[in-house]
Amino acid sequence: MAALCDIFDCTPADLIDTRAENATVRRVATGDAVVDLSAVRPKRARIRPEG
């Protein structure tokens, strides 16, 4: 950063543009719904010899 400021004869404020914005509100999970992981995960593949 200092090298760029020396090359362009400017300050860091000239090179960096900053702005502030309001962050959006994140949705929150509610309820007591429990996911059964055995129903979600795929079954393990079984590799059998040819024949």
Side-chain angles (χ1 to χ4, degrees):
M1 181 65 74
L4 286 175
C5 290
D6 287 342
I7 292 169
F8 295 121
D9 194 29
C10 62
T11 64
D14 296 330
L15 296 177
I16 301 172
D17 184 30
T18 59
R19 61 185 160 141
E21 293 182 4
N22 291 333
T24 58
V25 177
R26 297 179 75 189
R27 296 188 318 171
V28 188
T30 58
D32 294 332
V34 177
V35 176
D36 182 18
L37 292 179
S38 63
V40 177
R41 293 184 180 163
K43 291 185 179 179
R44 185 175 196 145
R46 300 175 112 197
I47 300 173
R48 295 187 273 174
E50 291 184 32

